[in-house]
Amino acid sequence: MGIIRYLPPVLCTLLAMNGCSNASEDENSRLKGNALAFADAYFNYDFAKAKAFCTDESMKWLQFAASNMHEADLEILRAQDEKAMVEIENIRPDSNDSTGSVVLRVSNYMRPDTIGKAGRMIESAFFRFPYVRRNGKFLIRMDGLPRSEKQSRG
């Protein structure tokens, strides 16, 4: 009879811990989903779709990227058999869990060149994007146009 008296508190504690774990897994899954959706849209030049996954402050960078597309760039994109592919390499949350960064590997994407020159296809590169959590939603925060990382991915 003594052990039965302790079973409900132990069971409640285990259930509560499992609930926290599932909530954390759900948040991590949402973060990954939004980061991948943003990057897939951005690197496939669907800026209207990318807009749904980034902060309002990022809009100026999406508009800038869209306004710098040239006909030569569009021809390169049309000639591709496969779209750009993205995968998460690493997620680094900050100590407050509301901000952090996600590192993505992007393959088979077109990197725009300077004005008047056509972009070129890149086999693979890594990009780091900061993210924020606002109103329960994870959003990418663009502080400029994405630049591939040359060194550590961690």
Side-chain angles (χ1 to χ4, degrees):
M1 180 87 171
I3 195 163
I4 293 176
R5 186 172 59 178
Y6 294 106
L7 189 55
V10 170
L11 188 59
C12 288
T13 301
L14 289 175
L15 288 173
M17 287 172 48
N18 187 37
C20 291
S21 174
N22 287 342
S24 179
E25 287 175 20
D26 286 348
E27 284 191 347
N28 195 35
S29 180
R30 284 186 293 153
L31 169 57
K32 286 179 180 180
N34 284 2
L36 287 171
F38 166 80
D40 182 68
Y42 185 89
F43 288 103
N44 285 294
Y45 294 91
D46 186 348
F47 299 121
K49 184 176 179 184
K51 177 180 163 182
F53 302 101
C54 61
T55 64
D56 290 341
E57 306 91 283
S58 301
M59 292 308 121
K60 65 183 175 189
W61 296 109
L62 290 177
Q63 291 168 345
F64 184 75
S67 69
N68 283 298
M69 292 294 296
H70 301 285
E71 187 59 36
D73 295 329
L74 296 175
E75 288 175 19
I76 290 171
L77 291 172
R78 285 187 206 115
Q80 299 309 304
D81 292 331
E82 297 179 16
K83 68 179 201 158
M85 301 300 293
V86 296
E87 59 186 300
I88 293 178
E89 193 70 19
N90 191 0
I91 295 176
R92 298 184 79 177
D94 292 338
S95 60
N96 64 12
D97 288 335
S98 291
T99 61
S101 63
V102 59
V103 177
L104 299 156
R105 176 194 300 262
V106 183
S107 305
N108 191 45
Y109 75 98
M110 187 196 66
R111 182 175 69 198
D113 206 316
T114 57
I115 295 175
K117 287 188 175 182
R120 65 185 186 109
M121 295 305 294
I122 304 296
E123 185 177 323
S124 181
F126 294 92
F127 293 87
R128 180 181 306 274
F129 289 97
Y131 69 82
V132 298
R133 186 168 81 178
R134 292 187 182 159
N135 300 321
K137 186 175 180 182
F138 289 100
L139 302 169
I140 297 298
R141 188 187 75 236
M142 295 177 68
D143 296 325
L145 294 179
R147 296 182 66 167
S148 62
E149 294 195 336
K150 293 179 175 46
Q151 296 179 355
S152 170
R153 299 179 299 232

